[in-house]
Amino acid sequence: MKRKRKIVLPRWLHTPAYYVMRSLIAAAVTGDIETDVRAARVLGRAYAGFEKRRFQRTMDTLGVAFPDMSEGELRDRAIEAYEHIFMLMVEMAYTPRLITHDSWANHVRLGNLDIALPSLLANRSVMMVASHCGNWELLGYVMALMGFPVHALYRPLDLPPLDAWVRRTRERRGLMLIDKFEAVKRIPQLIRSGAHIAFIADQNAGDRGLFVPFFNRLASTYKTIGLMAMKFDTPIVCGQARRLVPGRDGPEAAAGNAGAGFTSFDGESFRYRLDVLDVIHPEDWKAQPDPLFYITARYRRAIEQMVRAAPEQNLWLHRYWKSRPRHEHLNRPFPALLREKIRALPWITDGDIARIEDWSARDGAAIAAGQTPG
């Protein structure tokens, strides 16, 4: 199947297209956020019914992660995930206006951020890991407003004037954006200067990634984070901004930590809770037989915990399990060395090992039959 050719606008259309996009964004935030978020939710539900192929992929991916969910539950979570994406687009448009030094506490509750404070206040660089679950932009935005400027890796937008505007609005609040195509050169410089670096690290890392467990199935995961952490002795903080949901999250979720943030939760839109899922310190991995494997598996486990906390807020269109390890391509038995590395992870059980090996055998058989796992 041929890949669709990317449409590239001629240069002379960049400025007119930019003003069209800015006008649409301005129109989207001229009302009140409650009304706009409700409308976005309706549009998301409608789009889920219209986009059959991608909706089925969402259902399939959810089914791998949550094999015990019924068909009805999977469908509900999939529809809610589409609603979340549309709501998120509206919230991102409102973010520069609503999330300021004076007003961010009206929308964000701080959870257990205190467990990361020693690392954040240690006058050294910290690497931050998030996923496409919840509101990943809000996480970096609020951290910057709290006095912890963040340099976030991102893919530049295809429309240069719009990309420049996005960078200006985010950097005004302390969320600095790093072009991913310049990352190899810039990140080491920033770490040496003590800057905090943020990564969205849940995507498939391709055939050259490190294969670690993710929902008890091997997933290709970025090695760069672990390699940088090892080279510079940098702690890794894994965090999430999770939308509070009426009916599921009550006053106790809005209560947060140490009285910080808004004081009540009545189901309003744009209410989030920031939590730290894990902090990986240099002393944690230095005693491990394979430090890189340990770091990568541990931050991938934190991402899994983020998704389990809010499956309806995850971007399920990612093909987490598309790339496969070499032994599956060769349809060979599960490597004994890989089994021992996984077994050495403190959180892995015998049941986990059995499910990982079962999935690996199934993926190897699928590849041998000419199918593409995903």
Side-chain angles (χ1 to χ4, degrees):
M1 182 176 172
K2 289 184 178 179
R3 292 183 64 181
K4 292 182 180 179
R5 293 185 61 183
K6 187 175 179 181
I7 299 174
V8 179
L9 283 179
R11 204 168 194 174
W12 63 272
L13 275 177
H14 285 182
T15 299
Y18 163 70
Y19 283 113
V20 169
M21 292 297 296
R22 283 293 310 275
S23 299
L24 291 173
I25 293 169
V29 297
T30 52
D32 68 278
I33 189 168
E34 298 292 332
T35 301
D36 291 342
V37 168
R38 282 197 297 269
R41 185 177 182 182
V42 171
L43 287 173
R45 178 173 286 266
Y47 188 78
F50 170 76
E51 184 54 270
K52 303 291 186 183
R53 184 175 62 86
R54 287 191 174 89
F55 184 79
Q56 186 58 52
R57 184 196 296 175
T58 297
M59 288 274 289
D60 293 343
T61 310
L62 259 165
V64 173
F66 298 96
D68 296 330
M69 274 191 186
S70 68
E71 188 77 9
E73 288 177 299
L74 290 173
R75 176 169 289 276
D76 289 344
R77 296 297 87 73
I79 291 172
E80 289 167 357
Y82 273 86
E83 293 173 350
H84 167 72
I85 289 300
F86 277 71
M87 293 160 70
L88 191 63
M89 287 190 287
V90 170
E91 291 170 349
M92 286 181 171
Y94 271 96
T95 293
R97 185 207 298 185
L98 296 183
I99 306 299
T100 67
H101 286 94
D102 297 324
S103 65
W104 68 265
N106 296 328
H107 303 280
V108 177
R109 166 61 64 189
L110 302 183
N112 64 339
L113 189 65
D114 56 312
I115 68 172
L117 286 178
S119 297
L120 292 168
L121 294 171
N123 196 29
R124 63 185 297 186
S125 180
V126 167
M127 300 177 77
M128 301 181 184
V129 170
S131 73
H132 289 100
C133 185
N135 190 329
W136 52 92
E137 182 186 58
L138 183 65
L139 182 64
Y141 216 87
V142 172
M143 292 296 294
L145 287 173
M146 290 172 58
F148 304 107
V150 175
H151 291 74
L153 201 67
Y154 90 119
R155 183 193 180 282
L157 301 179
D158 294 328
L159 192 61
L162 187 64
D163 180 69
W165 174 74
V166 168
R167 292 179 71 123
R168 283 197 308 273
T169 57
R170 272 57 188 168
E171 292 177 358
R172 194 178 301 147
R173 306 294 188 200
L175 178 60
M176 318 302 289
L177 300 179
I178 308 172
D179 185 332
K180 74 172 192 176
F181 301 109
E182 301 174 356
V184 173
K185 178 181 178 182
R186 290 206 60 201
I187 288 179
Q189 297 172 345
L190 290 167
I191 292 176
R192 290 188 183 98
S193 71
H196 300 324
I197 315 295
F199 300 85
I200 306 295
D202 58 342
Q203 302 100 316
N204 170 48
D207 292 339
R208 295 186 179 182
L210 196 59
F211 287 88
V212 298
F214 185 57
F215 287 100
N216 285 326
R217 189 178 181 185
L218 294 176
S220 178
T221 307
Y222 295 115
K223 294 183 281 190
T224 308
I225 295 170
L227 290 170
M228 289 286 184
M230 291 165 60
K231 180 175 181 179
F232 295 102
D233 248 15
T234 306
I236 302 170
V237 174
C238 305
Q240 177 184 39
R242 174 175 63 83
R243 178 187 286 114
L244 296 178
V245 179
R248 186 193 69 186
D249 297 305
E252 67 283 353
N257 179 281
F262 51 92
T263 56
S264 65
F265 173 59
D266 300 316
E268 305 97 325
S269 298
F270 211 170
R271 294 291 192 272
Y272 280 84
R273 176 185 168 103
L274 266 59
D275 279 305
V276 174
L277 282 296
D278 197 4
V279 181
I280 311 172
H281 299 283
E283 55 267 27
D284 296 336
W285 69 69
K286 287 183 177 179
Q288 298 297 322
D290 188 334
L292 179 59
F293 188 86
Y294 175 85
I295 294 169
T296 309
R298 185 163 160 181
Y299 86 67
R300 191 82 200 205
R301 175 178 179 252
I303 291 174
E304 180 177 324
Q305 291 173 319
M306 297 174 198
V307 177
R308 290 189 183 279
E312 80 287 350
Q313 296 179 34
N314 190 52
L315 186 60
W316 289 105
L317 288 174
H318 283 313
R319 300 186 67 182
Y320 301 116
W321 303 285
K322 179 181 178 181
S323 296
R324 306 311 309 151
R326 187 168 182 268
H327 74 270
E328 291 181 11
H329 282 287
L330 299 175
N331 202 19
R332 291 178 178 172
F334 201 89
L337 180 59
L338 178 58
R339 181 186 298 110
E340 290 310 308
K341 286 182 180 182
I342 295 174
R343 192 182 298 279
L345 298 172
W347 57 89
I348 292 290
T349 67
D350 289 340
D352 294 332
I353 291 282
R355 285 186 286 272
I356 292 166
E357 292 195 28
D358 177 63
W359 261 116
S360 188
R362 289 158 64 181
D363 287 332
I367 293 170
Q371 301 169 10
T372 303

